[in-house]
Amino acid sequence: MRAMSLLFPGQGSQAAGMGRDVADADKDAMELWKKAENISGLPLREICWEGDEKAMSDTKVLQPALTVFCLTLWQQLSKHVSPSACAGHSLGEYSALAAAGVLDAETTLKLVSLRGALMAESDPDGRGAMAAIVKLPLEKVEEIVASVAEETGRVLIVANYNTPGQYVISGDKDAVDMAGARAKEIKGRALPLAVSGAFHSPLMKEAADQLAAHMRKAVWRKPSCPVYSNVTATGLTDGESIRDCMLSQMTSSVRWIDIIRTQYADGQRSFLEIGPKAVLSKMTGRILEGVPAEEYTSSVVSTLEQAGELA
């Protein structure tokens, strides 16, 4: 079997029709979609497979839907691929945990369904917001965030370290707007994100605490390979450490740049994204810019046909 580092994407990587080819060809995959629907209480197949992209982008729908897609595709790939490491971007970390054997599929779907519902309902007053800041180096983004937070006394953090030159800020809407304006003043760009709250910030604490109560009841097994944490960007090799990091994942930054660089430093040379689009594959290239192309591979599998090509 081929050894590869598995990467699982998060919110924003969804695509209409995702996973239908796998489920139509494999009864176990179809049963897992049905189980996800029973757990979430949502008609996931109807929403995803009939092309209702607006409904699919709803956080409470997307989180179980994208996760079950990743799990069913991994079921196919696991016949040909052995994970040498696993990592997932935000929501994708749950799929990574399932692929590494830390959580079983049912527990994973229960946690992401609850996570999606909690995040969708976390900000009924519209207090929080997120924006992608591009075309600025990290030090400038962190400088803006620190100064705005200090001046306003509002919550504002760098929530996602996606690639050099692409960072996501999260917090109180007025602080996010102010930081975006300052980024534009120094020739950066601020792109507001269509989200229902200030994800990966302290404003998620109430939702995170509710999810944590369920996490503590779950069985967290020793992973079959290192799982690189969003919180620490290090490869974790025991279930207890993984659980402890996951308890704070919803309120902590996603350190994706460091995850990829640390994996490379740890000897990973073959990266495989399991997701509807090549979101993380493109990011890997930007993160490892300067590394000779012949020294690593980065690919994506989105369909049953592509999974079979790895046989």
Side-chain angles (χ1 to χ4, degrees):
M1 296 180 76
R2 192 179 308 183
M4 308 180 83
S5 172
L6 307 182
L7 307 178
F8 295 90
Q11 202 156 326
S13 64
Q14 66 271 15
M18 61 182 186
R20 186 168 193 166
D21 59 334
V22 178
D24 284 344
D26 187 298
K27 66 178 183 179
D28 289 336
M30 186 66 80
E31 286 304 311
L32 198 57
W33 274 93
K34 292 177 182 178
K35 178 173 285 190
E37 290 179 334
N38 289 334
I39 290 170
S40 66
L42 298 166
L44 302 177
R45 287 172 295 166
E46 178 183 341
I47 294 171
C48 294
W49 296 352
E50 300 304 323
D52 189 344
E53 296 193 27
K54 182 177 180 180
M56 185 166 55
S57 65
D58 185 330
T59 298
K60 66 178 180 290
V61 173
L62 177 59
Q63 296 211 19
L66 182 59
T67 302
V68 72
F69 163 78
C70 289
L71 295 185
T72 56
L73 195 51
W74 168 239
Q75 285 177 343
Q76 303 301 313
L77 283 164
S78 64
K79 304 167 187 175
H80 320 299
V81 173
S82 174
S84 54
C86 286
H89 190 284
S90 188
L91 169 66
E93 191 163 9
Y94 288 84
S95 295
L97 294 177
V102 178
L103 299 174
D104 61 39
E106 182 170 350
T107 300
T108 302
L109 291 170
K110 286 180 178 178
L111 289 177
V112 298
S113 294
L114 177 59
R115 184 180 188 266
L118 289 170
M119 291 174 75
E121 299 163 2
S122 64
D123 189 10
D125 299 324
R127 173 184 173 183
M130 301 179 76
I133 305 296
V134 298
K135 298 187 176 181
L136 289 181
L138 176 58
E139 57 268 23
K140 290 296 184 183
V141 176
E142 290 183 328
E143 181 181 306
I144 290 171
V145 166
S147 64
V148 170
E150 182 177 1
E151 291 171 25
T152 63
R154 309 288 271 173
V155 172
L156 185 66
I157 71 165
V158 181
N160 293 18
Y161 296 79
N162 285 339
T163 67
Q166 187 197 95
Y167 305 94
V168 174
I169 60 174
S170 180
D172 285 295
K173 187 178 186 305
D174 54 353
V176 170
D177 291 344
M178 184 182 295
R182 292 192 181 179
K184 293 176 185 178
E185 289 172 2
I186 56 173
K187 301 191 184 304
R189 291 183 63 198
L191 308 172
L193 302 183
V195 293
S196 56
F199 302 161
H200 292 288
S201 84
L203 295 182
M204 288 287 108
K205 185 179 185 307
E206 185 176 344
D209 287 347
Q210 293 181 61
L211 181 61
H214 293 265
M215 285 186 169
R216 291 190 178 96
K217 297 175 184 177
V219 176
W220 298 77
R221 301 176 182 85
K222 180 180 176 63
S224 61
C225 62
V227 177
Y228 285 73
S229 165
N230 280 207
V231 176
T232 67
T234 57
L236 304 179
T237 56
D238 67 277
E240 185 176 339
S241 296
I242 292 171
R243 180 203 62 205
D244 290 347
C245 283
M246 292 302 291
L247 290 174
S248 62
Q249 193 232 41
M250 199 189 293
T251 56
S252 300
S253 302
V254 176
R255 301 189 174 277
W256 195 252
I257 296 172
D258 290 339
I259 283 174
I260 297 301
R261 287 177 175 169
T262 302
Q263 284 203 31
Y264 185 83
D266 289 346
Q268 299 299 327
R269 294 294 183 270
S270 184
F271 299 93
L272 177 65
E273 177 180 0
I274 300 174
K277 300 175 181 176
V279 174
L280 300 181
S281 300
K282 293 175 182 177
M283 288 166 62
T284 298
R286 297 186 187 113
I287 292 167
L288 296 179
E289 187 174 359
V291 175
E294 63 271 15
E295 290 194 10
Y296 73 95
T297 62
S298 178
S299 54
V300 60
V301 167
S302 303
T303 65
L304 181 64
E305 181 180 0
Q306 291 171 338
E309 291 171 359
L310 287 177

